[in-house]
């Protein structure tokens, strides 16, 4: 028996044999008591870790070690479900026979050691040595745990050493936990698109996951909250390079448990003797709050550590041209200049603000066909660009950043085999990864598009040349490079490419290298955007097309983390049975989420009711534009009273019914300037009256009083001074948007 207890609440104790469970409540009580007991009074076999408000107990059970408790010591709540999966699963492969073997934390080891931290502030070390499977005899799994007293967090790193040939590490699931989800007020945040929060009523089964980074898994954190007891768990991977990793979330009604896991494909996963070190740290942290509090934890880490976080000035992104930081509105154009020019000029005139347009079909090749051969542009394209940009319309043509058509000249294999194939991503059998979308060759067969490897000079050069040619030869102010922040990394096994095969951070690193060269060479007043919002490319782009933010249960977690670091634009505005309400809901949500509004078919101006609403939203955004690019998101204010909801088919799925509050709220703040904007938009057909209760101090306005200035599309309106604890009944007229500027009353602002 060894014992080592530290000051500062860091405590780790190791005893001998196993114990058994006796039902949830007595076990929880016994576990909570164990955190207070001296080490020699604790149940045998328990390893007790304490980091501020977070406690964890590991139990030595037979030939494994199992997490049996995660405890919120401040709220006296067990966070772990009655049954939690093995802390890790390491999948090994015999590289010759391809046989796979799984090593689990909870069984199958000759030797398990728990080494206390040698001094406060250093990590504890858990190690699993000598698997019972004799073929893997020297292998060792080491888990280092750092205890963060102030945050109430445990931070983990895992490594696999002594991997001997012919074995390789394929992938590592770590750390797996199942959170107790039995509370009737259990909520779960996950990073789908902008972020979504799932609440009761729960379906019988709920799952979420896939390969990060991609548009549907945009960030590396999740949050479970039990609103009834005010407790919860922040569960994250703080990986500063954005390595490829799968997220697995699974909820089962029967077990009332939410299982969470990161599953990381190993670097050089097909190379015998590769070994493994987890990318970054896995974090468990007590969460006394909701999705917004979780986003703030992640934001603090991102700003300090993430390789993709850009340099920000007091005016936001200095490397993004001001016109793009300010832009309030986007259109979407299809076709040649003859069609596009008049409709966009009319759109810009009606909306009376600067406009960007995302131009598809500017080239002669059909969409998703014969990529990457875009030139020559359709006739008159250059003239159209010049004319529109002289009239306050910024042109952003479409190109694809990821695909090469395997029949890239009609049905002919023009350059795929002779030029592109060596630079295409390959599976383990050496075959290019091929994707098909809706596009068809002239014989009706699907266009077969190869996924190009971003690490290759060929692909980096091709994309760079295409972007620069559009900017330099045609003068476009922007280029949209499709799919980069939408599609998940591909596990490329082409050894000739020189990157680690399979997993790692080479995929995100390669795209960032490609974009860094584009940013260096492009004129300073131009900008680039891409599809969706996978975070590891934020510094490489000026804007993200958030067109897929079209689901129910959305919350603005991505804007909370990245507002000011990248501009967001574009929702999929579609038809269906409720197009006008759906338009107002989407535009209203974009407004409070801090996005640039759009993108619209320019014909939207011919619907007077929609156009009037858009002019309000876009107009208020234009008044407040600096807050969005130089500021950051603050907690959206919550209205008191019964707020009606609205429901429309957003047409993402078919059908895609989405319900939101009729009155949406948001907040953006310039913290250094003690100056915030509260945004309100009633997207419904009915006026709504609600009570606003806001503490202006929470929005940076210090002192007993605050000045409130109402901002409408037409400019600043009434101004009044209020006690800083604001309490007012407000009327939100139907189909209206306005904002409050909160300013500190001290003569400075
Ligand atoms: Zn490759």
């Amino acid at each position: 028996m060894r014992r080592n207890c530290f000051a500062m609440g860091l405590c780790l104790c190791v005893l001998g044999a196993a114990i058994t469970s006796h039902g949830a409540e007595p076990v929880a009580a016994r576990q909570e008591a164990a955190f207070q007991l001296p080490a020699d009074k604790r149940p045998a076999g328990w390893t007790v870790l304490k980091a501020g408000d977070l406690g964890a107990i590991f139990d030595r059970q037979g030939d494994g070690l199992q997490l049996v408790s995660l405890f919120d010591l401040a709220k006296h709540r067990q966070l772990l479900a009655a049954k939690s999966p093995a802390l890790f699963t390491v999948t090994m492969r015999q590289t010759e026979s391809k046989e796979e073997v799984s090593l689990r934390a909870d069984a199958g080891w000759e030797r398990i050691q728990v080494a206390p931290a040698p001094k406060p502030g250093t990590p504890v070390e858990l190690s699993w040595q000598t698997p019972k499977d004799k073929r893997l005899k020297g292998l060792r799994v080491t888990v280092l745990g750092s205890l963060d007293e102030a945050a109430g967090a445990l931070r983990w790193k895992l490594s696999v050493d002594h991997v001997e040939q012919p074995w390789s590490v394929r992938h590592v699931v770590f750390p797996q936990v199942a959170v107790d989800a039995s509370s009737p007020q259990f909520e779960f945040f996950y990073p789908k698109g902008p972020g979504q929060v799932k609440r009761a009523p729960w379906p019988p089964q709920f799952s979420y996951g896939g390969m990060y980074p991609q548009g549907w898994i945009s960030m590396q954190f999740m949050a479970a909250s039990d609103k009834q007891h005010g407790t919860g768990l922040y569960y994250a991977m703080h990986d500063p390079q954005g390595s490829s990793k799968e997220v697995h979330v699974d909820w089962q009604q029967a077990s009332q448990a939410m299982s969470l896991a990161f599953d990381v494909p190993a670097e050089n996963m097909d190379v015998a003797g590769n070994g493994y070190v987890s990318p970054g740290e896995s974090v468990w942290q007590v969460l006394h709050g909701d999705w917004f509090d979780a986003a703030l934890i992640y934001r603090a880490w991102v700003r300090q550590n993430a390789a993709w976080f850009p340099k920000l000035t007091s005016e936001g992104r200095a490397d993004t041209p001001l016109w793009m930081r300010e832009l309030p509105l986007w259109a979407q154009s299809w076709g040649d200049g003859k069609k596009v020019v008049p409709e966009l000029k009319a759109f810009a005139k009606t909306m009376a603000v600067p406009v960007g347009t995302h131009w598809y079909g500017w080239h002669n090749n059909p969409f998703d066909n014969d990529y990457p051969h875009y030139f020559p542009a359709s006739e008159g394209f250059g003239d159209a660009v010049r004319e529109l940009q002289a009239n306050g319309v910024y042109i952003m043509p479409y190109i694809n950043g990821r695909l090469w058509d395997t029949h890239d000249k009609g049905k002919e294999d023009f350059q795929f085999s002779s030029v592109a194939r060596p630079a295409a991503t390959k599976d383990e059998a050496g075959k290019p990864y091929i994707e098909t979308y809706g596009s068809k060759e002239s014989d009706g067969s699907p266009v077969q598009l190869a996924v190009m490897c971003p690490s290759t000079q060929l692909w980096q050069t091709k994309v760079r040349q295409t972007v620069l040619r559009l900017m330099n030869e045609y003068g476009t102010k922007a280029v949209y490079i499709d799919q980069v922040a939408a599609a998940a990394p591909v596990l490329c096994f082409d050894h000739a490419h020189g990157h680690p095969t399979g997993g790692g951070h080479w995929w995100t690193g390669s795209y960032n290298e490609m974009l860094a060269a584009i940013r260096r060479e492009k004129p300073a007043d131009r900008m680039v955007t891409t599809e969706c919002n996978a975070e590891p490319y934020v510094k490489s782009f000026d804007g993200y097309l958030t067109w897929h933010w079209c689901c129910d249960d959305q919350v603005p977690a991505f804007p909370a983390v990245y507002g000011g670091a990248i501009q967001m634009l574009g929702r999929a505005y579609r038809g269906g049975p409720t197009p006008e309400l759906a338009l107002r809901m989407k535009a209203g949500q974009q407004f409070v989420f801090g996005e640039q509004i759009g993108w619209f078919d320019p014909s939207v101006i011919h619907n007077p009711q929609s156009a009037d609403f858009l002019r309000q939203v876009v107009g208020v955004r234009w008044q407040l534009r600096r807050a969005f690019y130089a500021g950051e998101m603050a907690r959206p204010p919550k209205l008191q009273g019964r707020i009606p909801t609205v429901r429309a088919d957003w047409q993402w799925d078919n059908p895609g019914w989405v319900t939101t509050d009729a009155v949406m709220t948001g907040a953006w703040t310039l913290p250094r300037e003690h100056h915030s904007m509260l945004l309100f938009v009633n997207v419904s057909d009915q006026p709504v009256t609600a009570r606003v209760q806001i503490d202006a101090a929470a929005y940076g306005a210090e002192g007993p009083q605050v000045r409130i200035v109402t901002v409408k599309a037409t400019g600043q309106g009434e101004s009044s001074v209020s006690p800083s604890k604001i309490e007012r009944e407000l009327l939100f007229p139907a189909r209206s948007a306005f904002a409050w500027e909160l300013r500190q009353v001290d003569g400075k602002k």
Side-chain angles (χ1 to χ4, degrees), residues 520-562:
R520 270 196 308 274
E521 293 182 33
K522 73 174 178 58
D525 64 338
R526 316 300 168 88
M527 67 91 181
V528 286
T529 64
T530 189
E531 182 187 16
C532 298
N533 64 309
E535 65 185 349
Y537 315 102
V538 162
K539 74 172 179 192
S540 292
F541 290 98
D542 302 288
Y544 272 173
L545 185 81
T546 48
W547 75 299
H548 63 310
W549 293 6
C550 283
C551 297
D552 222 350
D553 308 322
Q554 294 187 145
V555 293
F558 189 87
V561 176
Y562 291 108

Side-chain angles (χ1 to χ4, degrees), residues 24-25 77-82 178-187 200 202 224-229 231 251-258:
E25 279 313 309
R77 298 300 302 178
Q78 169 69 274
L79 300 170
L80 202 68
V179 176
D180 176 20
S182 60
S183 162
Q185 292 182 44
F186 180 77
E187 293 186 0
W202 288 80
S225 311
D226 170 358
K227 303 279 266 197
Q228 186 177 22
H229 300 104
T231 185
W251 184 82
Q252 301 288 344
Q253 196 170 44
S255 59
Q256 300 282 291
M258 177 71 80

Side-chain angles (χ1 to χ4, degrees), residues 143-360:
V143 170
L144 296 177
S146 300
L147 303 117
D148 183 337
E149 170 83 2
L154 281 158
R155 307 176 193 283
W156 300 107
K157 280 187 85 69
L158 179 148
S159 58
V160 185
D161 302 300
H162 306 294
V163 176
E164 290 181 15
Q165 296 187 359
W167 292 87
S168 72
V169 182
R170 293 295 286 187
H171 62 109
V172 175
V173 183
F174 172 78
Q176 288 191 105
V177 290
V179 176
D180 176 20
S182 60
S183 162
Q185 292 182 44
F186 180 77
E187 293 186 0
F188 180 68
F189 166 84
Y190 52 109
K192 184 173 175 182
Q196 289 180 223
V197 173
K198 192 88 197 140
R199 306 178 170 91
W202 288 80
Q205 201 272 336
F206 166 81
S207 62
Y208 166 73
M211 183 72 87
Y212 162 97
Q214 54 151 306
W216 303 103
I217 303 173
S218 60
M219 300 179 284
Q220 308 175 96
F221 76 100
M222 291 170 264
S225 311
D226 170 358
K227 303 279 266 197
Q228 186 177 22
H229 300 104
T231 185
L233 184 72
Y234 169 85
Y235 175 91
M237 188 81 103
H238 288 179
D239 165 8
Q241 304 291 337
S243 310
S244 305
K245 60 183 69 72
E246 286 190 19
V247 170
H248 298 308
V249 173
D250 187 51
W251 184 82
Q252 301 288 344
Q253 196 170 44
S255 59
Q256 300 282 291
M258 177 71 80
S259 344
L260 310 174
F262 288 104
D263 183 348
V264 182
E267 285 190 17
N268 293 312
M269 59 203 289
D270 59 339
V271 178
N274 61 342
Y276 175 84
V277 179
S278 57
E281 290 181 326
S282 310
V283 181
W284 300 341
Q285 183 165 339
V286 162
L287 180 67
H288 295 149
D290 61 10
W291 66 269
F292 188 79
D293 300 281
L296 294 188
I297 297 171
Y298 193 69
R299 179 167 84 183
W301 172 78
V302 162
R303 288 177 172 178
Q304 289 295 313
N305 300 282
W308 59 81
F309 198 75
K311 189 171 178 322
L312 295 183
T313 70
S314 62
E315 300 306 309
R317 283 279 291 270
D319 65 332
T320 293
L322 184 63
W323 68 261
M324 171 56 177
R325 280 177 277 161
E326 291 188 335
L327 202 66
L329 176 64
W330 284 89
Q332 186 191 106
S333 303
W334 287 81
D336 62 18
K338 276 202 215 60
K339 169 177 174 289
V340 167
V341 171
E343 64 189 18
L344 273 173
K345 282 168 86 170
F347 180 72
K349 191 169 172 215
T350 303
M351 299 307 293
V353 288
V355 170
T357 196
H358 189 186
W359 192 334
Y360 291 78

